[in-house]
Amino acid sequence: MTAAVQDAAPAWAVVVAAGQGRRMGEGPAKQFRPLRGHPVLRWSLAALLELKAIRRVALVLAPGVATPALDLEAADLARLLRVDGGAERMDSVLCGLEALVGAGAGEHDPVYVHDAARPCLSPAALQRLAAHAGHSEGALLALPMTDTVKRAGEGVSASYCAETLDRSTLWRAQTPQVFPLGTLTAALRAARAQARLCSDEAQAMEWAGHQPRLIPGEARNLKITTPEDLLLADWFLQQPCPS
């Protein structure tokens, strides 16, 4: 990593590490798989903790799961707050947000939400996002679509192309995403009350009528989903971070 990312405004964070990662196949959940001598989770936390304005990080794990050895600096370990997660991602995020409020976070404070399975976040991308941490409707790292995008049919036609989508307005969402704590909490609670499951926090904000900003991310900020992703993450971690 390069020098610590600087941001004057006090902030907080939630790292979601309670998922099972079934697409990884047999073995530990993806956030606990070894990557260059450490769990994937350790790399994701270390990248986020480069933002020194973050006072506490709610590390959300499945109930009963022990916190793995993370090999972080003592000062960074002291910033972690272990929290039990819920049944769905948004339940786990809400558990993290509630724990941060108990630790002193205010409803207008920015809170970063990061996937435990994104170990290659660069300080440059984090700094670009931090520059928009005060936006009232939030912001997220994302990449414009470059591939041609197809929509499959339904039912028996699910293996066939139904149409080609206009990629000019399509982006691939990444994390971290950052929102005012109170606004995000309200959006997630509203989604839960309506029995709606969001795939990321920005979607809950959209459902609540907000328009989070899209901040250019990086291809290296991939999410570990399959065993092949571990090989790619290993390669990225050996490359210099973009400036």
Side-chain angles (χ1 to χ4, degrees), residues 4-7 48-55 76 79:
V5 179
Q6 298 300 316
D7 182 7
L48 187 63
L49 287 165
E50 290 285 322
L51 190 60
K52 297 307 178 185
I54 294 177
R55 294 183 175 180
D76 286 336
R79 294 158 71 192

Side-chain angles (χ1 to χ4, degrees), residues 133-155:
H135 184 45
S136 63
E137 296 187 282
L140 65 149
L141 293 177
L143 282 177
M145 288 295 301
T146 56
D147 296 322
T148 298
V149 183
K150 303 291 186 180
R151 184 182 66 80
E154 299 178 2

Side-chain angles (χ1 to χ4, degrees), residues 65-242:
V65 171
T67 305
L70 296 171
D71 191 28
L72 295 169
E73 296 291 335
D76 286 336
L77 287 172
R79 294 158 71 192
L80 300 183
L81 179 63
R82 202 267 192 216
V83 179
D84 283 347
E88 303 290 345
R89 177 191 173 92
M90 66 181 189
D91 298 319
S92 292
V93 174
L94 277 169
C95 289
L97 295 174
E98 290 164 2
L100 291 177
V101 170
E107 66 172 320
H108 300 296
D109 289 348
V111 58
Y112 294 81
V113 182
H114 190 40
D115 291 326
R118 289 190 187 270
C120 302
L121 172 68
S122 76
L126 184 55
Q127 184 63 75
R128 286 196 297 275
L129 183 65
H132 297 273
H135 184 45
S136 63
E137 296 187 282
L140 65 149
L141 293 177
L143 282 177
M145 288 295 301
T146 56
D147 296 322
T148 298
V149 183
K150 303 291 186 180
R151 184 182 66 80
E154 299 178 2
V156 295
S157 299
S159 297
Y160 299 90
C161 294
E163 65 173 321
T164 300
L165 304 180
D166 178 9
R167 69 185 179 198
S168 66
T169 61
L170 298 178
W171 292 63
R172 295 166 50 202
Q174 300 182 333
T175 70
Q177 303 183 359
V178 61
F179 309 97
L181 187 150
T183 307
L184 177 59
T185 300
L188 290 171
R189 285 176 175 166
R192 186 165 63 181
Q194 297 165 20
R196 305 175 80 177
L197 293 179
C198 55
S199 58
D200 69 353
E201 291 64 53
Q203 186 174 35
M205 293 286 286
E206 293 156 20
W207 288 339
H210 303 290
Q211 291 185 302
R213 290 187 179 181
L214 295 165
I215 309 302
E218 296 166 347
R220 66 174 286 133
N221 188 23
L222 79 165
K223 184 177 182 180
I224 304 296
T225 304
T226 67
E228 291 80 5
D229 293 331
L230 279 171
L231 299 176
L232 189 54
D234 184 283
W235 183 84
F236 273 128
L237 289 174
Q238 296 181 65
Q239 309 310 308
C241 283

Side-chain angles (χ1 to χ4, degrees), residues 34-47:
L35 176 61
R36 299 195 63 76
H38 300 287
V40 168
L41 170 62
R42 183 267 178 196
W43 295 101
S44 304
L45 283 167

